[in-house]
Amino acid sequence: MDLLFFLQLLKNVLKELWLHKYITLFSGIFIAFSILLIGLLWQEKYEVSTTIYADSKNIIQPLLEGQAQVTRVEDKSQVVKDVMLSQKVMEKIIVEQGFLEEGDGAARQAEKIADLRRAVKVTMLGQNYIGVSFSDTNPDRAYKVTTNLVDYFIRESSATKRSES
């Protein structure tokens, strides 16, 4: 592209803007105030995430070596999801963190549990690392929900290892 072409294009654009200066001015003001209004009304979201190291070693594997087949867990993120997002954990979290209001029925509780399950994201970050994240408009609640989920997973994993041994 030629430099002369760009200069002529710039000159023509500026000429058209000057011819329609009031429309351009009011359009710019309208766009600026629209963006400002959207920024004021947009709800803030706080996302809390953490990383868990999920040890894939089986405690009884050295004991059973050569005698029996040791099962392997293929989808660790699904196992973590199943433990963290169990009904018992979800019920405990929605009650403790104030997701439920006074007089909410079982249908409302089930709806809140479903919403919470959709909001929690569990992803594989590597061979043995699993990421857990949750976002909410309340930063304290986002932190507490994530912390409670991870704490429950760690307690369950420890109990499982203890029972295996």
Side-chain angles (χ1 to χ4, degrees), residues 71-79 124:
T71 59
R72 283 226 173 289
V73 176
E74 294 300 321
D75 190 6
K76 293 177 194 163
S77 67
Q78 187 60 42
V79 171
M124 288 299 294

Side-chain angles (χ1 to χ4, degrees), residues 99-152:
F99 284 101
L100 289 180
E101 296 172 8
E102 197 69 34
D104 282 344
R108 184 80 172 137
Q109 182 179 358
E111 180 183 320
K112 290 289 186 179
I113 288 173
D115 291 343
L116 184 60
R117 279 192 177 125
R118 280 191 294 273
V120 173
K121 293 178 181 45
V122 179
T123 56
M124 288 299 294
L125 300 176
Q127 182 75 19
N128 292 327
Y129 293 97
I130 298 170
V132 180
S133 64
F134 175 73
S135 61
D136 194 72
T137 56
N138 182 343
D140 293 329
R141 184 164 58 183
Y143 174 77
K144 288 176 183 175
V145 167
T146 306
T147 303
N148 287 346
L149 286 171
V150 171
D151 286 346
Y152 182 77

Side-chain angles (χ1 to χ4, degrees), residues 34-49:
S34 298
I35 291 172
L36 179 65
L37 185 65
I38 289 171
L40 289 173
L41 296 177
W42 195 279
Q43 277 193 338
E44 294 178 346
K45 285 230 176 206
Y46 299 93
E47 182 170 339
V48 178
S49 62

Side-chain angles (χ1 to χ4, degrees), residues 60-119:
I60 61 174
Q61 184 175 5
L63 299 173
L64 296 178
E65 201 164 326
Q67 296 178 2
Q69 182 69 24
V70 179
T71 59
R72 283 226 173 289
V73 176
E74 294 300 321
D75 190 6
K76 293 177 194 163
S77 67
Q78 187 60 42
V79 171
V80 172
K81 276 185 186 178
D82 291 343
V83 171
M84 280 188 188
L85 304 180
S86 67
Q87 187 71 20
K88 183 173 83 171
V89 175
M90 292 291 109
E91 286 174 359
K92 182 179 171 188
I93 287 176
I94 64 167
V95 169
E96 285 179 359
Q97 300 307 320
F99 284 101
L100 289 180
E101 296 172 8
E102 197 69 34
D104 282 344
R108 184 80 172 137
Q109 182 179 358
E111 180 183 320
K112 290 289 186 179
I113 288 173
D115 291 343
L116 184 60
R117 279 192 177 125
R118 280 191 294 273

Side-chain angles (χ1 to χ4, degrees), residues 22-38:
Y22 295 112
I23 293 173
T24 304
L25 175 69
F26 289 121
S27 297
I29 290 172
F30 176 75
I31 290 170
F33 277 110
S34 298
I35 291 172
L36 179 65
L37 185 65
I38 289 171

